[in-house]
Amino acid sequence: MSKNIILIGFMGVGKGSVAREVIKNSDYIAIDTDDLIESMENRKIKKIFEEEGETYFRDLEKKVSLWLKSSVKNTLISTGGGFYKQKNLKDIGVVVLLDSPFESIIKRIKKHPNAVRKLKKRPLLSDLKKAKELYDERRPEYLKLADIVIDVTNKSALDCTKELFKKVKKYG
Ligand code: S3P
């Protein structure tokens, strides 16, 4: 596998956890679009949303997507939940959707030892009713875009990663 692998999916679905298992179990290096943006800006996503608004954040995602396209190879790229809207995502690599029902995602976040922090750092999860609407709007778009779909519900990150390795093989 020499292509980039791009993890997409809703907030809290476990993209970071899968990325960490991929690193542990392969030679891949992983990068995260939110981490790149936070270091570019030297402030947290929550602060960027508060101080500049969502449009500014999406422009930064665009900048990151252009850089990924021109400069990044052989890398596992985990993305923020809205990054999939960037044009020509498939030009960056194989798009892998981590999929799970909304209720399971929220349950997963709430049972995490850092649940409060996990909810707080995500501005678009502050209102669960609105978050569910966003999920319903995005899920068909995620599915349409994905080359590979992994249902992560009630599976360990390691099991999801094994499934990912098996499925990406055919993309050589
Ligand atoms: C967002 C998801 C977040 C982060 C930002 C916006 C979204 O990333 O990029 O808060 O639009 O879904 P995670 O998916 O890692 O929570």
Side-chain angles (χ1 to χ4, degrees), residues 78-130:
S78 63
T79 63
F83 192 83
Y84 77 102
K85 290 208 185 221
Q86 295 305 317
K87 285 201 187 89
N88 308 325
L89 207 64
K90 281 175 193 268
D91 292 347
I92 302 175
V94 181
V95 180
V96 178
L97 169 65
L98 302 188
D99 187 39
S100 193
F102 182 75
E103 293 69 24
S104 308
I105 294 175
I106 299 303
K107 226 189 260 172
R108 178 180 182 277
I109 298 176
K110 285 191 170 163
K111 76 171 190 213
H112 196 278
N114 282 329
V116 175
R117 197 179 57 82
K118 283 192 167 287
L119 283 167
K120 258 198 179 157
K121 74 170 194 175
R122 295 179 164 103
L124 300 177
L125 274 185
S126 62
D127 177 336
L128 286 187
K129 194 170 164 279
K130 280 198 188 138

Side-chain angles (χ1 to χ4, degrees), residues 9-12 15 34 45 49 57-58 61 79-82 122-124 138:
F10 202 67
M11 292 171 271
K15 289 164 288 182
D34 283 345
I45 303 287
F49 267 71
F57 174 75
R58 299 299 171 200
E61 288 193 316
T79 63
R122 295 179 164 103
L124 300 177
R138 282 181 178 176

